[in-house]
């Protein structure tokens, strides 16, 4: 459904009226297209105090495709290296670096602060580096004009593994991701022969792929070069086949809760899976006092239990190849809760628990990463059916003052799926425009 308010604020009378009334003034977000694959303008590289990365950062920034400079009147992006901040007093260097230039950032620009993981052995360093999180989240809420702000924590020795993440964060692909804290391990990146099609030669399976977010995820993975298997329930077979045919993909009509689901997935991918995307999900909303047991059970079964079962079975059978990627769909509801969605929120919080527990073991035992996207208000047929006032509140209650699109979730999933994203593991990234609800 079209966002008429966003269209209104894009007109001169609309801007005048909303400014006079003190209403939100969202900026139409610039997303990736073939003609505009990168941000337009230079990348300003700043250092707060002394960098802990030394000379390893420069070639990684150069690989983003942006012109890197230490002085720019209208930068498209700003990277501030705060990895050397180890004291509370040192935080003043972050202010000194960004204060003079933050207003010059282009509309729809990107700010990425680089930090290091807080140390369990040095509470001064831990305090200073944790302070960067509050700083970034606050700046994301005040910067405006469609710009986004992130904190990227780089483990010692992990700078060379940051390329795929910086390419994503400093590009139009991350348009609806803001206020996020992402941690990188020192895992070596897998090879990418062509960044136009970074998933070339890889096989991906997407559940819930007939429509909505799942169809968009399948589309982006195919665009990035993957051979895609689209899975959805047999009742959606006609729509699933249309989606698969459009992408040159394979349709797999299958109920993910079926006892033989993992075996049938393995049979559809005889050479194994390189990317497994758990996107299938349902809602059966009702307040707990009015919720019958079958509504509770069906949501937990589809959204969580089936994910646990099939993931375990596919990993144990070796169907997920070494160097593979597992991406699950959580939700902002699993972080902040939602009225009438105790079942749904429980299932999506469960996905977060799965990711945090399984990620280190899957990496150690199978060379597989496990991450999750947590969408906020995304413009789909489901949200179009929400009552008008609630829908408008959902759209405006984030730092970008608008709803996201399925493509925003898909782009984040595709970044997780890249072979070069080996260092991204155990992360839950909210695709919510920095929702004002939840952390």
């Amino acid at each position: 459904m079209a966002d008429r308010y966003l269209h209104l604020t894009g007109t001169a009378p609309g801007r005048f009226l909303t400014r006079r009334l003190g209403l939100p003034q969202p900026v139409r977000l610039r997303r990736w297209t073939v003609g505009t694959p990168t941000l337009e303008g230079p990348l300003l590289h700043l250092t707060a105090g002394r960098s802990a990365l030394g000379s390893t950062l420069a070639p990684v920034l150069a690989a983003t495709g942006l012109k890197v400079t230490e002085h720019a009147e209208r930068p498209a992006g700003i990277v501030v290296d705060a990895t050397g901040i180890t004291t509370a007093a040192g935080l003043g260097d972050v202010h000194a670096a960004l204060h003079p230039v933050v207003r010059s950032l282009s509309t729809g620009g990107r700010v990425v602060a680089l930090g290091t993981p807080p140390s369990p052995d040095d509470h001064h360093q831990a305090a200073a580096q944790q302070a960067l999180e509050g700083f970034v989240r606050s700046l994301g809420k005040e910067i405006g004009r469609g710009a986004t702000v992130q904190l990227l924590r780089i483990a010692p020795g992990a700078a060379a593994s940051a390329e795929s993440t910086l390419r994503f964060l400093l590009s139009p692909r991350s348009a609806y991701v803001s206020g996020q804290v992402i941690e990188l391990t020192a895992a070596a990146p897998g090879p990418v022969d062509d960044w136009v099609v970074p998933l070339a030669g890889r096989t991906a399976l997407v559940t819930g792929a007939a429509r909505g977010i799942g169809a968009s995820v399948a589309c982006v993975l195919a665009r990035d070069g993957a051979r895609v298997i689209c899975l959805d329930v047999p009742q959606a077979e006609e729509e699933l086949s249309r989606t698969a045919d459009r992408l040159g993909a394979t349709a797999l009509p299958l109920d993910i809760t079926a006892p033989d689901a993992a075996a049938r997935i393995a049979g559809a991918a005889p050479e194994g899976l390189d990317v497994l995307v758990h996107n299938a999900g349902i809602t059966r909303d009702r307040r707990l006092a009015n919720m019958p047991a079958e509504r509770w059970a069906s949501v937990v079964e589809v959204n969580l239990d089936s994910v646990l079962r099939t993931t375990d079975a596919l990993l144990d059978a070796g169907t997920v190849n070494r160097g593979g990627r597992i991406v699950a769909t959580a939700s902002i509801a699993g972080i902040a809760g939602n009225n009438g969605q105790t079942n749904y929120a429980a299932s999506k919080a469960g996905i977060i628990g799965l990711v945090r527990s399984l990620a280190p073991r899957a990496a150690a035992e199978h060379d597989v990463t496990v991450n999750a996207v947590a969408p906020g208000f995304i413009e789909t047929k489901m949200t179009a059916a929400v009552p008008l006032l609630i829908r408008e509140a959902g759209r405006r209650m984030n730092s970008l003052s608008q709803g996201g699109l399925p493509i925003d979730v898909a782009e984040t999933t595709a970044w997780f799926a890249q072979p070069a994203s080996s260092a991204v593991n155990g992360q839950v990234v909210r695709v919510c425009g920095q929702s004002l609800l939840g952390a």
Side-chain angles (χ1 to χ4, degrees):
M1 177 177 285
D3 186 342
R4 291 180 178 147
Y5 181 86
L6 177 61
H7 176 74
L8 172 68
T9 58
T11 66
R15 285 192 295 272
F16 174 79
L17 179 63
T18 53
R19 188 180 300 114
R20 289 294 299 269
L21 295 175
L23 296 173
Q25 293 186 299
V27 172
R28 190 172 297 278
L29 303 181
R30 181 172 172 271
R31 295 175 169 90
W32 183 93
T33 66
V34 173
T36 56
T38 62
L39 301 177
E40 295 180 354
L43 174 63
L44 183 59
H45 176 198
L46 307 174
T47 303
R50 181 178 299 176
S51 171
L53 301 177
S55 61
T56 59
L57 180 61
V60 178
L61 293 180
T64 62
L66 300 175
K67 180 182 177 182
V68 183
T69 179
E70 294 183 358
H71 304 281
E73 292 184 1
R74 199 72 173 159
I78 302 173
V79 169
V80 55
D81 181 353
T83 55
I85 302 297
T86 59
T87 65
L91 292 167
D93 292 330
V94 179
H95 174 271
L98 283 173
H99 174 71
V101 299
V102 70
R103 287 181 180 172
S104 69
L105 184 69
S106 296
T107 298
R110 304 284 188 266
V111 177
V112 178
L114 305 180
T116 57
S119 170
D121 304 316
D122 182 348
H123 56 284
H124 289 266
Q125 185 271 357
Q129 286 295 321
Q130 188 65 36
L132 293 176
E133 183 171 334
F135 170 79
V136 162
R137 294 195 194 280
S138 296
L139 182 59
K141 291 179 178 179
E142 69 184 39
I143 196 168
R145 296 181 296 115
T148 65
V149 187
Q150 327 288 349
L151 173 59
L152 181 59
R153 288 180 175 147
I154 301 177
S161 303
E163 181 177 348
S164 71
T165 300
L166 286 170
R167 278 178 174 269
F168 171 68
L169 296 178
L170 294 169
S171 80
R173 300 175 193 267
S174 59
Y176 202 61
V177 177
S178 189
Q180 298 305 287
V181 180
I182 299 163
E183 297 195 9
L184 299 184
T185 71
V192 173
D193 294 329
D194 185 350
W195 280 99
V196 175
V197 283
L199 297 176
R202 295 170 76 82
T203 299
L205 181 135
V206 182
T207 70
R211 64 184 74 85
I213 290 174
S216 187
V217 170
C219 179
V220 170
L221 296 182
R223 178 203 71 190
D224 285 358
R227 170 183 172 263
V228 178
I229 302 171
C230 298
L231 182 153
D232 215 314
V233 292
Q235 300 92 306
E237 183 171 2
E238 184 176 343
E239 194 170 6
L240 178 68
S241 295
R242 284 199 300 268
T243 298
D245 290 345
R246 176 168 53 88
L247 302 178
T250 300
L252 179 59
L254 172 64
D255 186 340
I256 195 64
T257 67
D260 63 344
R264 291 181 60 185
I265 288 171
E271 296 183 359
L273 294 173
D274 302 293
V275 181
L276 171 60
V277 180
H278 287 293
N279 170 76
I282 62 172
T283 58
R284 297 289 185 269
D285 295 353
R286 194 166 289 181
R287 289 190 172 188
L288 183 64
N290 302 318
M291 183 182 294
E294 58 269 21
R295 278 184 174 247
W296 176 279
S298 61
V299 169
V300 172
E301 169 69 4
V302 173
N303 296 2
L304 179 59
D305 207 15
S306 69
V307 175
L308 290 161
R309 287 197 310 272
T310 54
T311 297
D312 289 348
L314 293 172
L315 281 174
D316 290 344
T319 302
V320 182
N321 297 326
R322 295 190 68 81
R325 306 282 181 259
I326 297 174
V327 185
T329 304
S331 170
I332 192 69
I335 297 171
N338 208 5
N339 188 354
Q341 288 194 318
T342 53
N343 50 359
Y344 183 77
S347 70
K348 293 305 184 178
I351 291 293
I352 295 173
L354 177 162
V355 167
R356 290 175 176 166
S357 176
L358 180 59
R361 290 185 288 113
E365 298 171 14
H366 304 282
D367 188 25
V368 170
T369 64
V370 186
N371 297 286
V373 291
F377 187 96
I378 304 295
E379 303 278 1
T380 63
K381 288 183 179 179
M382 183 176 69
T383 54
V386 172
L388 175 63
L389 292 180
I390 298 175
R391 184 169 67 243
E392 282 302 303
R395 283 170 168 162
R396 308 307 158 211
M397 291 183 67
N398 60 75
S399 297
L400 299 173
S401 299
Q402 60 195 282
L405 301 179
I407 187 70
D408 298 318
V409 182
E411 294 285 15
T412 307
T413 301
W415 155 57
F416 282 142
Q418 291 176 3
S421 294
S422 307
V424 186
N425 193 31
Q427 303 301 294
V428 179
V429 173
R430 290 183 294 126
V431 186
C432 63
Q434 197 181 14
S435 173
L436 304 184
L437 301 175

